[in-house]
Amino acid sequence: MSQRALFASATAVTVGTFDGVHLGHRLVLDMLVERARREGVPSVIVTFQPHPLEVLNPAAAPPLLTTWDEKLEVLAESGVSYLVVIPFTPELAAFEAERFVDEILLSRLGMKWLVMGYDHGFGRHRSGDVEKLQSLGAVRGFQVSVVPPVVGPGGQPVSSTWIRGALAGGDLD
């Protein structure tokens, strides 16, 4: 990405790998689109290629639920205005949450609203959790909307990990 701002106006943003774009992801995207419409600003998805674990710990990288092309197609159908794909590199992995927020989300994307899942985290060691980002938002002038979990059968929150486990166990429902 270049060092200049990509948007002339404020934006509503979400950040994630969005593997599988499951029901929890869809709720995040729906809330992002709704927030952007309400504020009259573009909505922006920030995602990474490759999956962060493929860089950080290839042996632990999960099998992906969708191909890259499938993921792009589903994200395009979400009603979000823009998709920003950031190459995930060891250098990016070293960014603390504050640096990622300052250099990418605020300076380049003009973020004024961040929509994130209840258990999401980004930045080095996933240090940018809900509490940290709400604190940063209070100081740096952006709002954080936290999306609650979508609960699946058995009371488990829907997640890519949960879906992989169900698939591995032969539970296709």
Side-chain angles (χ1 to χ4, degrees):
M1 287 177 67
S2 71
Q3 295 298 326
R4 65 178 180 78
L6 298 177
F7 297 95
S9 68
T11 61
V13 175
T14 192
V15 178
T17 56
F18 296 98
D19 181 28
V21 194
H22 54 66
L23 293 175
H25 292 146
R26 289 177 190 267
L27 183 56
V28 169
L29 298 174
D30 289 347
M31 289 184 70
L32 173 67
V33 168
E34 173 56 32
R35 169 59 78 165
R37 283 187 184 138
R38 188 169 53 239
E39 302 299 339
V41 300
S43 53
V44 181
I45 298 171
V46 175
T47 194
F48 309 98
Q49 175 68 355
H51 188 289
L53 281 176
E54 290 180 33
V55 172
L56 297 172
N57 187 357
L64 299 179
L65 296 171
T66 56
T67 67
W68 180 251
D69 289 341
E70 289 168 335
K71 178 168 109 170
L72 293 179
E73 183 177 333
V74 173
L75 291 175
E77 294 169 353
S78 71
V80 172
S81 306
Y82 297 96
L83 174 66
V84 174
V85 179
I86 299 176
F88 197 88
T89 63
E91 294 78 20
L92 184 66
F95 276 35
E96 295 293 338
E98 295 89 343
R99 182 176 177 198
F100 188 83
V101 166
D102 290 342
E103 292 185 18
I104 309 269
L105 301 182
L106 294 174
S107 295
R108 296 183 191 175
L109 301 180
M111 179 185 72
K112 292 293 182 194
W113 295 273
L114 175 65
V115 178
M116 63 186 292
Y118 73 100
D119 66 343
H120 186 67
F122 59 80
R124 188 167 181 241
H125 302 297
R126 292 177 45 97
S127 62
D129 61 10
V130 168
E131 183 177 299
K132 175 71 164 193
L133 290 163
Q134 287 174 329
S135 175
L136 285 173
V139 172
R140 288 168 168 81
F142 64 89
Q143 295 179 15
V144 178
S145 297
V146 181
V147 179
V150 172
V151 179
Q156 292 292 319
V158 174
S159 70
S160 298
T161 302
W162 180 76
I163 293 169
R164 280 186 202 92
L167 292 173
D171 182 1
L172 301 181
D173 289 335

